[in-house]
Amino acid sequence: MIQKPNIPTRRILTFPAVHPCETIAPATLLASLVFLCRSACDYRSSKSFGSSNARNARQTIRQVGNLLILLQEIRFSAVPDSLLLGLSELHFTVQKVVYLLDDCTRHDGARIWMLMESDRVANHFRVLVREMATALEVLPLEALDLPREAMEVAELVTRQARETRFRVGAEAQAAMANVLAILSRFESGEVPDRGEVKRVLDYIGVKKWSDCYREIEFHYSNNKEMRRELQLLSSLLGFASYARCVLFDSVDGKSDPPVHCEGESRNDELLGSLDGDDFRCPISLEIMRDPVTIETGHTYERCSILKWFRAGNATCPNTGNKLSSTEFVPNVALKQLIQRYCLANGIPFVDSSRKARDITRTAAAGSLAAECAMKAAARFLADKLLGGDYKWRNRSAYEIRLLSKTSIFNRSCLVEAGVIPALLELLSSEEDDCSCQENAIAAILNLSKHSRSKALIAENGGLRFIVDMLKKGVKVEAARQHAAATLFYLSSVEEYRKLIGETTEAISYLVEMVKEANYRGKKNALVAIYGLLMHSGNHWRVLASGAVPLLLDVLISSDRHEVVTDSLAVLATLAEKPEGAKAIIRCGALPQVVRILAAANPRATMEHCVCLLLAISINGGEDVVAYLVRSPSLMGSLYSQLSEGTSRASKKAGALIKVLHEFYERTSSTSKATVLPWERFVHAW
């Protein structure tokens, strides 16, 4: 038997059927084939076939039903080889029929695509029915002593397979022509008639905003897989995006603009319970981008395990068990979970297995129609932001939030359409609507990643509005998180790092978030502070805000590696100046940092620990170095970083070891071997 056809990782209109094992018992093969035929016949009651191929699907189901009648009459005595061959071929073909029927009844966003693929789908039905007839011809029906009625059914199936015509209906052909006409208008720079767009959506059953949302999600998620159809896929994506913005007055269903007036969403809670170390390859110790699983059940990064095997190792790196095969399978479920985790935690994720151009990551559209459709949608949203009522302004902000998150090209179109000043105006609105504030600041966050946006935000007084959101957004925790993240992106420009630091209470609000906000808020505030510290004039502001004692408290109390790592990064930057180093020492941070370095922590955490200790030892005076020399676990931790740490951690560890040795040489006349093992000393320069 086969798995359920609605495998989430199966690409649409693909049929991963497998031939039955050659040693399968005839009775088992027949029972499995009967089960498959019944599964196909179960679609008979479905009312959700795409309109373009509903007639073809029902003709195929009728043929499978006739085949089922024949199969139920088969009784085994002697089993000729030709019988097993015929049943195996039928099994293989009916598997593909079930997959195709499943695709024709999908509701998860493939309706426009299935409409445009109507001719291809009709041809699939024709080919599969012909394959069933060919397999029947191989069956030795005369030797099976079947009833006359069963023999007549077999003849009927074979005859109808040759005679039945599988065509796309006239209405479907007209709908496809309408879609192509709309795309052609986009390519010519024209805005299509709203009624014409609506007629297409009505025909395929896209009647709500959420239906259109799923159409867009389908096209985004499949652009890497459907390489050959990339241009059409991009055009349909542009069509669906334009339709979603223009045709629907309200958002419905589960995709409503999220309003997190307190706490985190369920998704945040789920991802928040995950530990990033679980996603690291046991070989490279880096977060996996292309995880694969070997026969022992352990998972590794593809390139790492390939290097292991190519080095002549035929064992599992984790268990040491000898492998009978060095083959592996992609761990798709884990890869999707890692992608979600990286997205939620602001970790860059580059799909190393990607071979095709990913239209969501390029600065150009996948087709001329997609480009013009997106520009038309951006102009429409900009007009609604400026001239629409409050409901439409919120609705437009939400659409901009979605579009700007998914594509670099979308951001460019929206910025050129002039949405940034209008979004900033929404932030300063007196309306007490937390969802509108959240949508506006989330849209600005996404747009701030575009190079031109940073200047537009600053020129339109956006820095003050965003800083105010850190305080006003207390009603909506997510709005504060987005504001802090926006400041991080703006701080990538030296001029804006200075301006943000000079903005009244900006740093104080961020420090307050570190103290009071949830996990996501803490992390965004920490990275924003880290970005601002790249301007030397902000060091004293961070110190004056009381950040150091708070960061030490985070090191002691937090059980989240990412937050601890970010706190150490901020402290290490502060320690690069003498006043920062002294403030850290006065808070008694040294024992805690040494303890973290001695524990089993992620490599990034260890790197910032070493950087912090080196900066303190240079800027904190000889008392600090003396304390570090007396720490019994420190030297072992530093030596381990020479070989196991990141390249930066290794270099900094070597420098710190050198500082400690030089101090010991100057101040001690006793045996050095008991404290600093010279035989292990390694220069890292």
Side-chain angles (χ1 to χ4, degrees):
M1 298 183 185
I2 64 169
Q3 295 176 325
K4 292 177 118 179
N6 55 341
I7 302 171
T9 56
R10 179 175 69 89
R11 183 160 58 89
I12 196 168
L13 294 182
T14 58
F15 316 111
V18 293
H19 280 95
C21 176
E22 293 180 0
T23 59
I24 189 172
T28 303
L29 176 59
L30 180 61
S32 179
L33 182 53
V34 168
F35 172 81
L36 279 174
C37 290
R38 286 175 177 161
S39 298
C41 291
D42 286 342
Y43 285 96
R44 186 184 293 121
S45 59
S46 175
K47 298 179 181 179
S48 57
F49 285 115
S51 303
S52 58
N53 273 283
R55 180 174 176 273
N56 296 331
R58 291 191 167 88
Q59 284 181 334
T60 302
I61 292 172
R62 186 165 54 251
Q63 293 286 70
V64 175
N66 291 334
L67 175 62
L68 179 60
I69 294 173
L70 171 64
L71 295 174
Q72 289 172 329
E73 295 295 335
I74 294 179
R75 302 291 183 272
F76 291 112
S77 51
V79 182
D81 292 340
S82 55
L83 175 62
L84 285 176
L85 175 62
L87 291 178
S88 294
E89 290 302 318
L90 280 173
H91 193 283
F92 184 70
T93 301
V94 178
Q95 285 182 59
K96 292 190 283 187
V97 169
V98 175
Y99 284 122
L100 182 57
L101 292 173
D102 177 64
D103 285 338
C104 289
T105 55
R106 287 180 65 162
H107 290 284
D108 56 350
R111 298 183 187 188
I112 299 177
W113 181 256
M114 289 296 287
L115 170 66
M116 302 309 292
E117 293 289 288
S118 294
D119 291 325
R120 179 180 168 193
V121 172
N123 186 60
H124 278 310
F125 278 120
R126 180 185 64 80
V127 169
L128 292 176
V129 169
R130 295 284 176 88
E131 288 179 359
M132 283 197 310
T134 302
L136 271 178
E137 290 175 348
V138 179
L139 288 177
L141 299 177
E142 299 80 6
L144 294 177
D145 193 24
L146 295 173
R148 191 166 67 88
E149 293 81 0
M151 297 292 290
E152 291 174 353
V153 168
E155 293 174 3
L156 176 65
V157 171
T158 304
R159 185 175 68 254
Q160 288 184 343
R162 307 298 182 195
E163 297 174 355
T164 302
R165 297 291 179 264
F166 293 89
R167 298 188 179 93
V168 178
E171 290 185 357
Q173 292 178 349
M176 285 190 287
N178 285 341
V179 173
L180 294 175
I182 292 170
L183 296 181
S184 178
R185 287 189 180 88
F186 278 131
E187 291 175 352
S188 302
E190 302 175 20
V191 177
D193 179 70
R194 177 187 175 116
E196 192 174 6
V197 176
K198 189 174 186 304
R199 280 193 295 275
V200 171
L201 297 190
D202 287 343
Y203 176 76
I204 61 177
V206 175
K207 300 183 182 298
K208 300 180 296 183
W209 185 95
S210 55
D211 294 335
C212 203
Y213 178 88
R214 284 191 287 270
E215 293 293 317
I216 295 171
E217 287 295 293
F218 168 80
H219 288 84
Y220 269 124
S221 61
N222 284 274
N223 75 80
K224 291 183 287 186
E225 299 292 337
M226 299 179 175
R227 302 191 285 277
R228 297 178 181 176
E229 302 95 345
L230 181 60
Q231 186 171 359
L232 175 59
L233 194 73
S234 302
S235 298
L236 295 180
L237 173 60
F239 169 84
S241 298
Y242 176 82
R244 189 183 71 188
C245 293
V246 173
L247 292 186
F248 303 99
D249 295 332
S250 61
V251 176
D252 66 283
K254 295 181 179 179
S255 298
D256 278 333
V259 181
H260 308 300
C261 289
E262 58 181 73
E264 299 179 63
S265 68
R266 290 185 180 179
N267 190 51
D268 285 340
E269 290 175 358
L270 171 62
L271 295 177
S273 66
L274 300 174
D275 189 340
D277 285 351
D278 295 333
F279 300 141
R280 297 183 185 275
C281 171
I283 299 175
S284 69
L285 302 181
E286 302 292 346
I287 290 180
M288 292 179 282
R289 266 55 180 175
D290 189 12
V292 296
T293 302
I294 63 175
E295 68 175 31
T296 60
H298 289 87
T299 300
Y300 305 90
E301 176 68 22
R302 181 189 294 268
C303 61
S304 297
I305 194 64
L306 278 175
K307 289 179 182 178
W308 174 266
F309 290 151
R310 288 168 182 165
N313 302 302
T315 58
C316 172
N318 252 342
T319 64
N321 294 339
K322 188 172 180 60
L323 302 175
S324 60
S325 169
T326 57
E327 294 182 355
F328 47 73
V329 294
N331 195 327
V332 178
L334 179 60
K335 182 175 181 178
Q336 293 173 345
L337 188 59
I338 294 173
Q339 286 175 320
R340 288 177 57 200
Y341 177 83
C342 289
L343 178 64
N345 290 279
I347 301 172
F349 184 95
V350 179
D351 186 352
S352 60
S353 66
R354 181 176 59 198
K355 297 180 181 178
R357 183 166 63 104
D358 182 353
I359 62 176
T360 68
R361 298 299 180 186
T362 60
S367 70
L368 179 58
E371 177 182 342
C372 297
M374 189 59 238
K375 289 180 177 179
R379 291 193 298 270
F380 175 85
L381 293 173
D383 290 343
K384 288 296 183 180
L385 273 178
L386 293 171
D389 58 22
Y390 189 76
K391 177 182 176 182
W392 255 108
R393 293 170 74 193
N394 185 22
R395 168 90 167 70
S396 299
Y398 183 53
E399 289 291 349
I400 294 169
R401 173 182 183 175
L402 294 180
L403 292 171
S404 59
K405 183 177 181 179
T406 52
S407 167
I408 295 174
F409 175 73
N410 289 357
R411 293 173 200 150
S412 176
C413 291
L414 291 164
V415 171
E416 290 178 6
V419 302
I420 285 179
L423 289 171
L424 292 172
E425 185 179 337
L426 274 182
L427 290 186
S428 62
S429 172
E430 297 299 325
E431 296 280 351
D432 189 19
D433 186 341
C434 58
S435 71
C436 189
Q437 285 186 343
E438 181 183 345
N439 289 329
I441 190 61
I444 291 170
L445 165 60
N446 295 333
L447 293 173
S448 69
K449 302 171 186 177
H450 188 270
S451 56
R452 288 187 53 206
S453 300
K454 298 177 178 63
L456 289 172
I457 292 171
E459 291 167 4
N460 287 275
L463 296 181
R464 179 71 259 176
F465 294 145
I466 295 167
V467 170
D468 286 346
M469 186 57 59
L470 293 176
K471 181 178 180 181
K472 293 179 181 179
V474 69
K475 298 178 182 178
V476 186
E477 182 63 32
R480 300 177 74 198
Q481 297 170 16
H482 298 318
T486 305
L487 292 180
F488 168 72
Y489 283 105
L490 293 174
S491 67
S492 63
V493 178
E494 172 63 24
E495 178 185 356
Y496 304 144
R497 285 197 288 267
K498 182 175 182 292
L499 289 175
I500 295 169
E502 293 172 350
T503 302
T504 306
E505 296 186 296
I507 290 176
S508 297
Y509 290 150
L510 290 171
V511 172
E512 183 181 338
M513 281 186 67
V514 175
K515 180 179 180 181
E516 299 178 353
N518 56 30
Y519 161 71
R520 173 55 48 200
K522 287 181 187 293
K523 184 169 178 59
N524 286 358
L526 285 167
V527 296
I529 293 170
Y530 181 78
L532 294 175
L533 285 173
M534 296 302 102
H535 174 62
S536 59
N538 288 329
H539 276 246
W540 71 267
R541 295 186 176 97
V542 175
L543 292 174
S545 69
V548 172
L550 180 60
L551 293 173
L552 177 59
D553 183 64
V554 171
L555 297 186
I556 296 172
S557 61
S558 179
D559 57 354
R560 302 296 295 269
H561 288 310
E562 294 85 357
V563 173
V564 170
T565 300
D566 292 336
S567 298
L568 286 167
V570 173
L571 288 171
T573 307
L574 289 172
E576 292 174 359
K577 292 184 177 294
E579 58 270 24
K582 291 173 183 176
I584 294 170
I585 296 165
R586 283 196 300 269
C587 288
L590 278 177
Q592 182 65 17
V593 177
V594 172
R595 185 192 64 79
I596 294 174
L597 184 61
N601 283 299
R603 299 173 82 195
T605 305
M606 309 294 263
E607 175 184 315
H608 291 304
C609 272
V610 175
C611 293
L612 174 55
L613 290 175
L614 177 60
I616 291 177
S617 67
I618 293 173
N619 296 315
E622 291 198 344
D623 289 344
V624 173
V625 181
Y627 174 84
L628 295 179
V629 167
R630 293 193 300 269
S631 299
S633 63
L634 180 60
M635 292 305 294
S637 300
L638 292 176
Y639 278 117
S640 68
Q641 289 302 301
L642 290 177
S643 58
E644 299 173 8
T646 64
S647 59
R648 183 166 179 253
S650 176
K651 183 176 180 180
K652 297 289 185 179
L656 182 53
I657 290 172
K658 185 176 181 180
V659 169
L660 299 179
H661 274 293
E662 289 176 349
F663 173 83
Y664 190 73
E665 288 175 347
R666 293 195 309 270
T667 60
S668 177
S669 59
T670 61
S671 173
K672 303 177 182 60
T674 58
V675 179
L676 298 176
W678 279 96
E679 65 274 10
R680 298 179 59 192
F681 177 59
V682 178
H683 284 283
W685 299 100

